[in-house]
Every structure is written in C-alpha cells, then in structure tokens.
Amino acid sequence: MVPAFAGGGADLAWDDGIPHREGAWTFTLSGTTDRVPFPDLDDAERVRHKGELVYPNLLLSLSAEHVAAFVLRPAAVDRTEITCDLLFSAEEVAKPGFDPGDAGDLWDLVNRQDWAICESVQRGMSSRYYSQGWFAPMEDASLDIRRWLLPRLERHG
C-alpha cells in the first residue's frame, strides 16, 4: 500500500507524509474508500500516509479518513498488551450504512503480520546467543525508548 515501506523505509519524510501506491489515497485493502477525508486536510494529507509516535506508548497511523491509534502496555518482561482503535469522523460514523470494515480488514492483516514478527523476535531474544536485534530504517525514531526515558529518569533522581 505504501511502496516506500518496502525494504525497511530508509530516509522517509514523515513530516510530509508518505505517498501511497498509484491509485491509492488511504490505508484500506483497495487503497480507497467511500468515506470522505477529514475536513481541513491539505492536498498532500489527502493522499499521503503519516505516522506519529507519542512517548511512551502511543502510536498513531494517520490516513486521510481514519486514524489507527495503538496503545502499548507492558504486561511482563516478555509480553505487551496492544490495543488498536480505529477512529473516524463523527459525521462519517453517523451516516447510514457506515462500515469501517475496509480499514479494519487491512489493519487486521497488517497487525497480524507485524505481531507475528514481534513474537518471533521476542522468542529469539530469550536465546543465550542474543546480543541485539535489527531495526528497519523507518523505525529509527522509535527503536530506542531510552533516548526518551533516560533523560527523564536522570532529572528525577
């Protein structure tokens, strides 16, 4: 859906948004939908994918007409509870026949694939030979929460 993500997504201009594949303008299986974009988006925001990381545990995936909000909660040293909510404008939700299934179907597919990879990595981390993992270039901003956490801990003692 977003060709720049292939191969790890190096040097992505997140502030500008990442272009979808040809003919697509949102994050659904088809790349399109009957829902209208959120109001007040500029031309680029109507056709590009954006993402935001809000430390310590909120990830936002911003499409033209919906937002996927992920909240990660550590449950144990080897387990994380993840909640994914899809958010739509109140006007769209109020329309007769509102159906978020096209976005839900894509997010279900993507999440299952991502979570399977994360679970595999977690199993590998329990190996006595594990030293460190590999992060895709597009994950650089989120790869090490220590960049965010350690300065805050140092301020508090």
Side-chain angles (χ1 to χ4, degrees):
M1 189 56 55
V2 181
F5 290 173
D11 301 319
L12 298 178
W14 281 107
D15 289 342
D16 298 331
I18 312 304
H20 289 88
R21 68 168 164 72
E22 182 72 29
W25 59 270
T26 191
F27 216 61
T28 62
L29 286 173
S30 70
T32 65
T33 186
D34 292 337
R35 289 180 301 278
V36 298
F38 290 112
D40 302 324
L41 297 181
D42 64 32
D43 290 342
E45 292 168 332
R46 289 177 176 266
V47 296
R48 292 175 174 247
H49 186 78
K50 289 191 169 191
E52 291 292 336
L53 174 62
V54 183
Y55 278 126
N57 64 336
L58 174 63
L59 303 148
L60 299 173
S61 182
L62 309 157
S63 297
E65 47 56 67
H66 76 273
V67 173
F70 298 86
V71 176
L72 288 69
R73 291 182 190 89
V77 69
D78 60 349
R79 283 186 303 282
T80 301
E81 176 187 308
I82 303 170
T83 303
C84 174
D85 290 310
L86 298 182
L87 311 171
F88 301 87
S89 74
E91 293 80 15
E92 286 296 313
V93 172
K95 288 181 178 177
F98 169 74
D99 181 5
D102 57 352
D105 289 346
L106 181 64
W107 280 111
D108 182 62
L109 175 66
V110 169
N111 288 341
R112 288 179 191 278
Q113 291 172 347
D114 287 352
W115 296 340
I117 292 167
C118 291
E119 290 167 359
S120 178
V121 169
Q122 186 66 47
R123 285 190 302 275
M125 288 174 65
S126 65
S127 164
R128 64 182 174 177
Y129 299 106
Y130 171 80
S131 62
Q132 73 180 42
W134 177 85
F135 289 93
M138 69 184 283
E139 304 294 336
D140 185 60
S142 61
L143 75 90
D144 191 349
I145 195 169
R146 291 176 294 181
R147 293 180 192 157
W148 176 85
L149 183 61
L150 289 178
R152 284 159 178 81
L153 290 175
E154 289 168 359
R155 279 187 261 158
H156 297 289

